[in-house]
Amino acid sequence: MPHHGASSGQGHLRAGWEQRLERSLPAPKLGLLWMGLGLALVLALFDSTVLWVPARAYPLPSQGHSVKFSAVAPQLQNAFGWRNLTCPACKVLFTALNYGLKKEPNVARVGSVAIKMCKMLNIAPLNVCQSAVHLFEDDVVDVWTRSVLSPSEACGLLLGSSCGHWDIFSTWNISLPSVPKPPPKPPSPPAPGAPVSRVLFLTDLHWDHDYLEGTDPNCADPLCCRRGSGWPPNSRTGAGYWGEYSKCDLPLRTLESLLKGLGPAGPFEMVYWTGDIPAHDVWQQSRQDQLRALNTITDLVWKFLGPVPVYPAVGNHESTPVNGFPPPFIKGNQSSQWLYEAMAKAWEPWLPADALHTLRIGGFYALTPRPGLRLISLNMNFCSRENFWLLINSTDPAGQLQWLVDELQAAENRGDKVHIIGHIPPGHCLKSWSWNYYKIIARYENTLAGQFFGHTHVDEFEIFYDEETLSRPLAVAFLGPSATTFINLNPGYRVYQIDGNYPGSSHVVLDHETYILNLTQANAPGGTPSWKRLYRARETYGLPDAMPASWHNLVYRMRADEQLFQTFWFLYHKGHPPSEPCGTPCRLATLCAQLSARADSPALCRHLMPNGSLPDAHSLWSRPLLC
């Protein structure tokens, strides 16, 4: 089957709005609001259109979203005529704007300018720009009129650090209990014959209810293979019946095939399901669309998994507008209450009353799935760089990290072990959130037995080290592959082997397996879907165990062994790697990403680089991020 379009570079970058956005946004009459809506639109739409190019276009994490805007800054300067704006005049202007906008924000005028920007920068077709602006504008205008952006910060953003400092996401620290940290104690290997539990891991299902076989996989919209995508020219093949290697999500029949074909991979003791249920048609989603996806897929999971307990986490695509998750202090129609209430109702058969209570408040919860094990499901949208609501206040939104500390301390006191599940991996979070989380993991390393995330759509991991030396690996977060094909991937899922349910169990990950559907074979004439195991981690990588030190050693083995890395690269893409080779810069950047469970921390990769130098963001590439 022909490949359509994307390769290893698709997706968006791994760093935050807080970094070096100098001179990348205009200052029209509606400055602050326009900038806010422009940021939200670019983050929602830019990723799957303009940036859908080979991997070499992607810098390392430290560059942030500023890279996206720096390429178009000259156009914006010319279009909006702020090139000659002086620093004092800028501050006077924004002081007046701050006052005026808080008195009378004009949503329609902001939206009109944002549509022109979207079209001018060729972010998406005009109809997509218009729909996206109308979807985002009310919330973004409200956020920017509430935000704490000062005139000095706005002018620093526009004119550079000599005029002011962009410090919306300033540093903050979580409080840890005064209880001393116990000496590190790695878990003992389970005795031969000890019970082993199989845990099914599902993430990023992205059901597209408008998927249509035969339509154009290379359409102009951010999402294709659907009604409205049009038909491909005779020289190209249309979307396959079971899915397509392109910027397309999955039809319901493929997800049903996945769940129906789980038998050989089971039986399962429980299921971890880390979100992103709706498709990537983010410019046209209504709350009704999101609830339909939630209920349809929940019913499908229930139908095929029956009595197996399922523990979900909230993805960034569950809301609309996408990435829009207000902290709990936002009340009324703009709050996320409509979504959390629907989740509580849909997931009530799986979750106890106390878990449903915190789910309704902030989209996170904790429960005890079996004796000696505490499961914590985090709402990682409160760490997301794309959650524009955090412009109001990004300091531990919803008090979730402080709640996490309390849960971990209580588990330590009881002698329990803990699993954490969530959607966005910690290394992709806002810097302060990520560093605080890193500190929490280091403090409770003896209690934490496993971390499980999704979001990137590829098969990878992130390692945590002791904060003093950044040399002793103490934890690993597993990033499971997506069910969806978006972008240019086979559908897949993961099964973890966990130290089983018995007194004294460590509950750690012992091994994992990845299963895929080979779309080329499934879509061939007369083909049928056959979900097969792609690989088993310890066997394929020659790991003595699945402990953090083994994954650390694997990274450095791959640095020295090109063939081993190419095996990883093939599996990273779920058996469908891009046609472009991954050369030395790409390889070092990909390996660096496996070490980086802490956002914007290049020192973690020092030993990977020639002569121990820090990574050069302009010469190396980042791994893709396909959310």
Side-chain angles (χ1 to χ4, degrees):
M1 173 167 293
H3 301 171
H4 299 288
S7 65
S8 66
Q10 64 271 59
H12 62 250
L13 310 176
R14 270 195 59 189
W17 304 335
E18 71 274 31
Q19 294 184 40
R20 297 186 302 280
L21 293 173
E22 55 246 34
R23 301 193 215 193
S24 59
L25 290 171
K29 291 183 179 179
L30 295 170
L32 292 180
L33 302 187
W34 192 95
M35 286 193 295
L37 187 51
L39 277 168
L41 284 174
V42 171
L43 295 178
L45 296 177
F46 209 113
D47 304 326
S48 54
T49 54
V50 177
L51 294 185
W52 195 47
V53 291
R56 65 184 303 275
Y58 292 87
L60 277 176
S62 60
Q63 288 302 287
H65 292 300
S66 59
V67 176
K68 295 181 181 180
F69 294 103
S70 63
V72 298
Q75 294 173 265
L76 297 174
Q77 289 175 334
N78 293 331
F80 293 95
W82 55 267
R83 184 185 296 273
N84 296 320
L85 186 67
T86 66
C87 183
C90 179
K91 291 181 179 179
V92 170
L93 171 64
F94 273 88
T95 299
L97 283 172
N98 255 343
Y99 179 79
L101 291 172
K102 291 180 187 296
K103 289 290 185 180
E104 188 180 0
N106 191 316
V107 176
R109 289 171 60 200
V110 174
S112 176
V113 174
I115 290 171
K116 292 176 183 177
M117 179 272 283
C118 182
K119 182 60 179 173
M120 179 186 70
L121 299 183
N122 196 30
I123 294 174
L126 180 60
N127 67 303
V128 174
C129 293
Q130 291 170 332
S131 297
V133 166
H134 294 323
L135 184 61
F136 278 84
E137 59 187 1
D138 287 330
D139 283 358
V140 174
V141 164
D142 187 61
V143 166
W144 279 78
T145 53
R146 291 173 183 245
S147 77
V148 294
L149 185 70
S150 70
S152 177
E153 288 168 329
C155 294
L157 172 65
L158 291 172
L159 303 179
S161 58
S162 62
C163 188
H165 181 53
W166 170 256
D167 195 27
I168 278 293
F169 300 115
S170 57
T171 57
W172 49 272
N173 291 302
I174 208 73
S175 297
L176 293 175
S178 58
V179 181
K181 176 182 175 179
K185 183 181 179 182
S188 301
V196 175
S197 298
R198 295 178 70 81
V199 176
L200 174 64
F201 182 82
L202 300 172
T203 192
D204 297 274
L205 274 61
H206 289 293
W207 166 49
D208 186 358
H209 57 80
D210 280 341
Y211 187 97
L212 184 61
E213 179 189 9
T215 52
D216 189 357
N218 280 331
C219 72
D221 289 349
L223 183 66
C224 298
C225 303
R226 58 203 322 263
R227 294 177 180 85
S229 297
W231 304 96
N234 293 333
S235 59
R236 289 195 283 110
T237 305
Y241 183 78
W242 296 104
E244 187 54 68
Y245 295 125
S246 191
K247 51 175 180 174
C248 306
D249 283 320
L250 291 179
L252 192 64
R253 56 180 168 268
T254 306
L255 295 173
E256 186 169 2
S257 167
L258 184 160
L259 294 167
K260 186 186 296 184
L262 286 171
F268 309 112
E269 181 172 316
M270 51 192 172
V271 181
Y272 294 163
W273 175 21
T274 62
D276 269 15
I277 303 170
H280 286 83
D281 57 333
V282 299
W283 67 94
Q284 61 182 17
Q285 292 170 339
S286 67
R287 289 183 178 183
Q288 183 179 359
D289 293 330
Q290 308 307 81
L291 296 180
R292 173 175 60 173
L294 168 68
N295 291 320
T296 299
I297 302 303
T298 297
D299 289 346
L300 198 67
V301 171
W302 179 265
K303 173 182 175 181
F304 287 102
L305 289 168
V308 180
V310 177
Y311 303 119
V314 183
N316 64 298
H317 276 264
E318 266 71 278
S319 186
T320 185
V322 66
N323 302 315
F325 286 83
F329 64 78
I330 300 295
K331 304 296 183 183
N333 189 53
Q334 287 181 306
S335 78
S336 293
Q337 202 64 34
W338 65 275
L339 179 61
Y340 299 150
E341 287 288 349
M343 288 176 168
K345 182 178 179 181
W347 299 339
E348 187 174 14
W350 297 320
L351 305 180
D354 55 346
L356 293 170
H357 175 70
T358 55
L359 175 64
R360 286 188 170 98
I361 295 172
F364 52 88
Y365 63 86
L367 52 79
T368 302
R370 64 193 193 194
L373 177 65
R374 190 73 168 163
L375 173 68
I376 297 174
S377 177
L378 295 178
N379 185 349
M380 300 297 285
N381 294 293
F382 291 138
C383 82
S384 172
R385 300 181 175 100
E386 284 73 39
N387 185 359
F388 49 87
W389 283 97
L390 300 187
L391 286 167
I392 298 175
N393 183 2
S394 64
T395 302
D396 193 15
Q400 183 179 214
L401 281 184
Q402 202 64 60
W403 169 86
L404 172 63
V405 169
D406 295 342
E407 281 286 340
L408 289 170
Q409 186 60 56
E412 179 180 279
N413 295 343
R414 294 189 302 266
D416 288 349
K417 300 300 181 182
V418 170
H419 285 176
I420 293 175
I421 63 172
H423 183 67
I424 300 172
H428 292 72
C429 292
L430 287 167
K431 181 174 180 178
S432 288
W433 200 103
S434 177
W435 284 52
N436 275 291
Y437 182 84
Y438 204 93
K439 179 171 68 175
I440 293 168
I441 297 306
R443 165 60 183 83
Y444 293 100
E445 62 173 294
N446 289 351
T447 297
L448 193 67
Q451 300 175 76
F452 310 90
F453 299 92
H455 187 61
T456 69
H457 293 197
V458 289
D459 184 343
E460 52 184 334
F461 53 90
E462 294 180 349
I463 302 173
F464 295 74
Y465 295 87
D466 67 292
E467 290 192 291
E468 291 76 20
T469 68
L470 293 179
S471 63
R472 181 177 64 86
L474 55 83
V476 60
F478 295 100
L479 281 55
S482 64
T484 187
T485 56
F486 192 93
I487 301 173
N488 206 30
L489 300 167
N490 283 310
Y493 66 89
R494 167 68 53 80
V495 177
Y496 291 99
Q497 288 82 57
I498 308 288
D499 194 8
N501 189 7
Y502 62 91
S505 172
S506 68
H507 302 285
V508 298
V509 174
L510 303 176
D511 204 350
H512 67 66
E513 303 167 355
T514 293
Y515 293 75
I516 65 162
L517 174 65
N518 186 309
L519 280 181
T520 302
Q521 297 174 1
N523 286 331
T528 57
S530 177
W531 295 81
K532 296 181 179 179
R533 188 174 69 202
L534 179 65
Y535 78 105
R536 183 183 286 122
R538 288 183 57 188
E539 175 185 59
T540 300
Y541 295 130
L543 304 177
D545 51 45
M547 299 301 292
S550 294
W551 296 100
H552 166 88
N553 292 336
L554 175 63
V555 172
Y556 286 90
R557 286 166 53 210
M558 289 191 289
R559 185 189 187 282
D561 187 335
E562 172 70 19
Q563 185 174 356
L564 180 62
F565 173 79
Q566 293 304 330
T567 297
F568 175 80
W569 187 245
F570 177 80
L571 301 174
Y572 175 96
H573 292 94
K574 290 183 288 179
H576 192 258
S579 56
E580 296 85 355
C582 183
T584 299
C586 166
R587 177 158 57 102
L588 292 177
T590 302
L591 295 178
C592 172
Q594 311 310 298
L595 302 179
S596 301
R598 190 166 73 178
D600 306 324
S601 187
L604 289 166
C605 300
R606 182 188 299 271
H607 299 298
L608 284 174
M609 302 301 141
N611 304 317
S613 60
L614 290 177
D616 178 357
H618 294 286
S619 63
L620 298 182
W621 310 332
S622 176
R623 69 185 186 212
L625 179 59
L626 312 176
C627 73

